[in-house]
Amino acid sequence: MKLFTLTLVLFISLVDVALAQNDPYEGLIPAPVSLVKATGTFTFGKLTVVKADKPKDKAVELFKDFLVNNRGLANKVIKYSPTTKSGGTSVILTSRGADKLPAEAYKLTITPRKITVIGKGAGLFYGIQTLIQLFPVDKTVAANLPCMVINDEPRFGYRGMMLDVSRHFFNVAQVKKVIDLMAAYKLNNFHWHLVDGQGWRIEIKKYPKLTEIGGTRQQTMFGTNRDWPDGQPYTGFYTQDEIRDVVKYAAERYINIVPEIEMPAHSDAALRAYPELMCTPDTSVKNPARTNGLYCPTEETFTFLENVLTEVMALFPSKYIHIGGDEANKQPWKESAFCQALMKQLNLKDEKELQSYFIQRMEKFINSKGRSIIGWDEILEGGLAPNATVMSWTGEQGGIAAAQQKHNVIMTPQTTGLYFDHYQSRSPLEPVSFGRYAEFSETYKYEPIPKVLTADERKYIVGLQGNLWTEFVPTVAKLQYQILPRIFALSEIAWSKPENKDYQSFSEVRLAKHFERLDAMHYNYRVPTAFEVIDTMMIGAQFTMAPKTVVPGARIVYTLNGRDPVDTDLGYESPITFNIPAGEKRVFKAVVITPSGRRSLPTSTIMYNQAPVAAANYTGNSAGLKFTLIKGNFTAPDQLDYAPKDSAGIAKTLETSEFRKTRPASGIIYEGYISIPADGVYNFSAAAYNDTQLFIDDNKIADNEGALSLFKGYHKIKIKYFYTAPVPGTRRRGNPAIRIYMIAPGTMDKKLITGDVLYN
Ligand code: ACM
């Protein structure tokens, strides 16, 4: 299985050059609708004249800035007149001929002496962005642009990126760097998650305590399983002038900003400032661990929220105003005599309908100002507000239901690679992130229009969005790491037609130039690892290693002694064949180091010339594994060896929900035998949290993925696993249950190991 993967990798690296030459999209991300190559090149030099309908147009100014900052050029920019002929080379930026183009569309033509970009407004802007991408990144290299004709338009009208600035605050300059990236990759809606339990980040003149009190929490970070509270107050907010500045900056780049003011839950920051808006005013709300407080649906609350939204709408011209609506724990409403009386009076059958009443009231107010609401998919519960757009995050189901009810939908399911707070690999060296994996390949593969929708219902899927929640994003370096390179995949699935999607050209060829651009613009990004599988064990006598990188100019260094490779280790040049003596192992570890010094996480491959392991002498037939619970709140499986035992017994399945009822956090060691049906090489993998350990016959299965040659019969199995408690007020639900898979020899089927092959 793994041998097959590596052979494939080798094959790909040999065809890279050919792929680059045949790249149908000339390195562009997102892929355009149509690109027809022509012969010849256009040489952009300092005498090239830029001619624009409006030389002072912001898109034209941005092109000028690009020439100055990225090419060191100060080309003449003059007013375009179609009747004036001139010698030399020129770039024409015009809306003439754009009348029939759809919204945001453009046409870009490159001939040996003339480049023409035709588009109106956003269309012209996107045409210029495409043109910029065609320039070489290195400014000392002559800018020879190949001749071609591009016709392009977006698939979706809403192409979004969400940034949470409540959990961690990012200043105006840092936010603008995100907006720059969005603009370069043709995303057009910046969803600004301005308030949440952990901090209110927007100045509201009428309610100064929102930022004075709600803008500060008692410490930098809390509620993760690896960081502890540090007692350092954490604070930050945007003044209204700063907000106006960012709104203008975004608008100049054809990006609308959708502000989000959360209600009725995720509101502790506001409630720390104005506890009278709770059903039972509670000073323990000052406790920073409480972050999912709920407004009481009183007239006082509605007046407060209307006043807040009035100021918000004055700052943001967006048609959409996001009012949250997610994850409301309605217990305070259940316990409130006021809410119960209100429900009776309004004839509402439960608290879900009360939430619906809350949202519908706010919608009415927002509609009365000519705007529309967006809410997370929980606003479907208890009845959807009449004009609401639904942001489908818990999965696709909310989006499907909303489209079936003829409501607009923005897809951002946390299950499909659009949650950029998730881990980007299974390596335990990955910086602490949210407990799921979403590699950019997953983002890329996501198709936002669910097949179950009819042709008419599909029209309601107006777009999609990537979300960066920042519980685990304390620095701007981490922010950029989380979104790069995933934002490139988002760009392509939001803009490009499905028939233009091409993962091989995207991941093997086109990404290259964009990494180079990120380096030139000093963005921090996650360097893709040398092998996609972080850590594996393969069985055989001979292996050929062909690690690879798409980052231009990057080196791959490797070791054979198990150490993490450093700059001074051997540099990889061409495929290396290893012959492994019988019974021995070698480990090939590789790290990618980019020209700017960024490095990938190490990947390791254990090459094991293993003689098949004889079956154990087990004659029992007692189903299930022995389990031992270990007391503690663990962060790594090795800690289980040093902690006290709690209790032990027999587990018929690997399901842990029973344990979780009495122990919010625990370690578990499972031990016993697995029945192997026939001689051969078996591939094992564990899907749980990144730090689970799986042993077969005392061999540790590397990073939960690897092979072993086994004789038919019973073999020892051991699993070291831990789970942590959900964190109140965050989406941290605790580690998911463990699942162990096996691939039998000669098959590609990954089968879940269930209780029927486990014995003790
Ligand atoms: C969400 O992720 N709670 C919208």
Side-chain angles (χ1 to χ4, degrees):
M1 170 63 187
K2 283 301 152 219
L3 211 52
F4 169 74
T5 310
L6 285 188
T7 318
L8 192 68
V9 165
L10 169 62
F11 168 72
I12 288 168
S13 71
L14 293 176
V15 297
D16 266 0
V17 176
L19 262 179
Q21 280 158 358
N22 295 326
D23 173 18
Y25 300 124
E26 293 289 351
L28 295 172
I29 296 177
V33 172
S34 112
L35 187 160
V36 178
K37 298 182 191 191
T39 49
T41 53
F42 176 101
T43 300
F44 194 105
K46 60 176 190 272
L47 295 179
T48 302
V49 179
V50 178
K51 301 174 182 177
D53 295 346
K54 291 184 232 145
K56 291 263 172 283
D57 182 88
K58 205 60 213 175
V60 178
E61 296 276 353
L62 288 173
F63 184 56
K64 256 169 70 180
D65 289 349
F66 161 76
L67 293 174
V68 172
N69 299 329
N70 297 65
R71 306 297 312 164
L73 291 171
N75 297 72
K76 206 151 86 176
V77 181
I78 62 170
K79 188 164 170 54
Y80 172 53
S81 150
T83 51
T84 315
K85 293 270 175 291
S86 58
T89 55
S90 55
V91 174
I92 295 164
L93 307 174
T94 182
S95 64
R96 284 166 204 268
D99 290 345
K100 295 209 173 64
L101 293 181
E104 306 185 287
Y106 67 90
K107 177 172 180 160
L108 168 62
T109 309
I110 304 180
T111 62
R113 301 188 65 77
K114 192 162 82 175
I115 294 177
T116 313
V117 184
I118 297 174
K120 280 180 302 210
L124 186 67
F125 179 76
Y126 293 133
I128 291 172
Q129 290 297 347
T130 297
L131 176 58
I132 286 173
Q133 284 195 17
L134 292 169
F135 276 79
V137 177
D138 184 345
K139 67 172 121 181
T140 62
V141 171
N144 292 322
L145 313 186
C147 291
M148 66 183 88
V149 178
I150 294 176
N151 280 290
D152 201 11
E153 66 181 81
R155 179 179 182 198
F156 292 106
Y158 185 105
R159 305 179 299 279
M161 174 73 213
M162 188 283 286
L163 178 66
D164 164 12
V165 292
S166 174
R167 276 55 179 262
H168 282 100
F169 179 71
F170 297 96
N171 67 28
V172 166
Q174 294 165 337
V175 168
K176 285 181 176 174
K177 288 266 293 185
V178 175
I179 290 174
D180 289 342
L181 265 183
M182 291 180 61
Y185 292 94
K186 302 187 173 80
L187 300 174
N188 65 352
N189 276 281
F190 177 58
H191 170 178
W192 211 355
H193 187 78
L194 287 161
V195 312
D196 209 304
Q198 290 90 337
W200 185 283
R201 307 278 175 228
I202 172 173
E203 178 188 28
I204 300 294
K205 303 266 191 207
K206 202 173 177 93
Y207 300 107
K209 284 195 289 186
L210 282 173
T211 43
E212 281 166 22
I213 295 174
T216 298
R217 64 169 180 260
Q218 289 173 4
Q219 40 227 340
T220 309
M221 188 70 189
F222 58 90
T224 82
N225 66 346
R226 298 194 198 190
D227 294 305
W228 277 262
D230 63 2
Q232 300 300 307
Y234 184 92
T235 195
F237 71 90
Y238 308 103
T239 65
Q240 293 203 348
D241 281 343
E242 286 176 319
I243 297 270
R244 275 186 278 268
D245 174 41
V246 177
V247 168
K248 177 166 176 284
Y249 187 86
E252 287 168 356
R253 288 155 182 78
Y254 291 91
I255 291 173
N256 173 58
I257 302 189
V258 179
E260 181 181 354
I261 304 295
E262 275 265 23
M263 62 189 77
H266 284 279
S267 299
D268 275 277
L271 297 170
R272 281 202 292 278
Y274 298 98
E276 62 273 23
L277 302 178
M278 306 174 79
C279 288
T280 312
D282 170 10
T283 45
S284 77
V285 75
K286 294 211 165 64
N287 173 358
R290 280 209 36 185
T291 49
N292 199 1
L294 200 63
Y295 290 110
C296 202
T298 58
E299 289 310 310
E300 195 184 354
T301 293
F302 289 121
T303 303
F304 165 83
L305 287 171
E306 287 175 10
N307 288 337
V308 167
L309 287 170
T310 299
E311 290 192 33
V312 168
M313 286 188 279
L315 292 166
F316 293 94
S318 174
K319 173 180 162 228
Y320 292 123
I321 304 294
H322 201 307
I323 59 169
D326 60 320
E327 298 186 306
N329 171 0
K330 302 180 186 74
Q331 193 58 27
W333 290 354
K334 289 196 173 112
E335 291 166 7
S336 151
F338 169 80
C339 290
Q340 295 306 312
L342 183 64
M343 285 162 59
K344 230 191 205 138
Q345 183 198 327
L346 298 172
N347 205 16
L348 303 174
K349 87 170 181 297
D350 58 17
E351 287 76 16
K352 286 183 179 167
E353 290 196 356
L354 184 56
Q355 158 142 336
S356 177
Y357 159 77
F358 194 117
I359 299 291
Q360 294 200 25
R361 259 193 81 151
M362 296 316 301
E363 182 186 60
K364 235 183 236 143
F365 175 73
I366 288 169
N367 286 170
S368 77
K369 308 290 175 205
R371 313 291 183 95
S372 305
I373 66 162
I374 300 180
W376 300 109
D377 51 58
E378 291 95 324
I379 67 168
L380 281 150
E381 297 169 0
L384 201 45
N387 307 308
T389 295
V390 170
M391 216 169 239
S392 192
W393 77 275
T394 52
E396 290 187 291
Q397 226 28 59
I400 292 168
Q404 287 167 341
Q405 293 176 42
K406 303 197 185 307
H407 281 253
N408 283 344
V409 172
I410 295 157
M411 281 295 190
T412 180
Q414 62 169 349
T415 46
T416 61
L418 291 179
Y419 264 48
F420 293 172
D421 52 334
H422 289 163
Y423 280 95
Q424 296 187 71
S425 81
R426 289 179 181 276
S427 168
L429 298 176
E430 219 33 272
V432 177
S433 298
F434 222 80
R436 193 183 171 276
Y437 305 94
E439 291 161 24
F440 71 78
S441 57
E442 187 181 344
T443 312
Y444 194 90
K445 283 166 193 155
Y446 177 54
E447 166 49 47
I449 299 193
K451 286 202 174 60
V452 299
L453 296 180
T454 63
D456 182 52
E457 289 161 355
R458 288 173 188 207
K459 294 199 287 256
Y460 293 98
I461 311 293
V462 296
L464 65 159
Q465 176 170 291
N467 290 340
L468 182 59
W469 302 100
T470 57
E471 288 97 332
F472 302 91
V473 185
T475 62
V476 73
K478 182 78 182 337
L479 183 166
Q480 295 177 356
Y481 182 94
Q482 292 299 114
I483 64 176
L484 291 164
R486 287 186 284 207
I487 202 171
F488 298 147
L490 171 68
S491 158
E492 188 136 317
I493 60 175
W495 177 280
S496 306
K497 308 278 185 230
E499 55 272 28
N500 294 116
K501 272 174 71 177
D502 180 342
Y503 185 66
Q504 194 182 21
S505 108
F506 176 82
S507 62
E508 301 286 336
V509 180
R510 284 186 285 139
L511 274 181
K513 193 161 163 191
H514 300 269
F515 284 126
E516 206 182 351
R517 263 163 58 105
L518 293 177
D519 272 332
M521 295 186 290
H522 307 292
Y523 280 94
N524 188 37
Y525 59 91
R526 181 179 185 279
V527 178
T529 48
F531 289 110
E532 241 176 71
V533 179
I534 293 290
D535 201 355
T536 192
M537 180 155 74
M538 302 186 304
I539 304 302
Q542 191 184 74
F543 299 88
T544 297
M545 288 294 147
K548 61 184 308 234
T549 175
V550 72
V551 182
R555 293 188 303 138
I556 298 177
V557 287
Y558 68 92
T559 61
L560 298 169
N561 57 11
R563 297 176 67 136
D564 285 348
V566 294
D567 298 58
T568 47
D569 278 308
L570 294 167
Y572 170 80
E573 277 161 16
S574 57
I576 314 169
T577 297
F578 295 94
N579 291 299
I580 313 296
E584 295 191 20
K585 283 180 196 162
R586 300 285 182 274
V587 55
F588 183 88
K589 253 192 187 188
V591 162
V592 176
I593 306 178
T594 72
S596 60
R598 289 180 216 288
R599 30 195 78 238
S600 72
L601 296 175
T603 53
S604 74
T605 307
I606 297 169
M607 301 173 281
Y608 190 8
N609 188 355
Q610 179 222 349
V613 185
N617 189 13
Y618 173 72
T619 52
N621 66 349
S622 162
L625 296 176
K626 285 191 188 125
F627 73 83
T628 309
L629 295 179
I630 311 287
K631 268 203 179 93
N633 194 356
F634 300 105
T635 59
D638 284 340
Q639 295 167 348
L640 272 58
D641 299 338
Y642 306 100
K645 289 195 174 52
D646 177 345
S647 61
I650 303 294
K652 291 275 161 50
T653 71
L654 301 177
E655 175 54 51
T656 55
S657 52
E658 275 307 306
F659 302 139
R660 291 177 197 243
K661 284 183 187 157
T662 50
R663 295 164 181 81
S666 182
I668 309 178
I669 299 175
Y670 293 100
E671 284 170 292
Y673 296 90
I674 178 168
S675 166
I676 294 295
D679 298 352
V681 174
Y682 288 78
N683 194 282
F684 294 94
S685 55
Y689 206 56
N690 51 337
D691 298 326
T692 298
Q693 288 178 357
L694 169 66
F695 301 81
I696 304 284
D697 291 324
D698 300 325
N699 290 287
K700 184 172 167 202
I701 302 298
D703 182 38
N704 307 325
E705 176 129 10
L708 275 178
S709 178
L710 304 172
F711 280 124
K712 173 178 170 156
Y714 294 98
H715 289 263
K716 281 204 291 189
I717 181 168
K718 177 172 169 180
I719 301 160
K720 283 164 80 179
Y721 167 70
F722 61 87
Y723 63 80
T724 51
V727 176
T730 74
R731 290 164 302 115
R732 191 158 196 112
R733 303 241 153 86
N735 310 20
I738 184 170
R739 290 186 301 283
I740 307 287
Y741 296 95
M742 185 168 84
I743 302 172
T747 76
M748 300 284 277
D749 278 358
K750 204 166 163 174
K751 285 229 167 76
L752 185 66
I753 295 178
T754 51
D756 56 345
V757 293
L758 300 173
Y759 297 87
N760 64 85

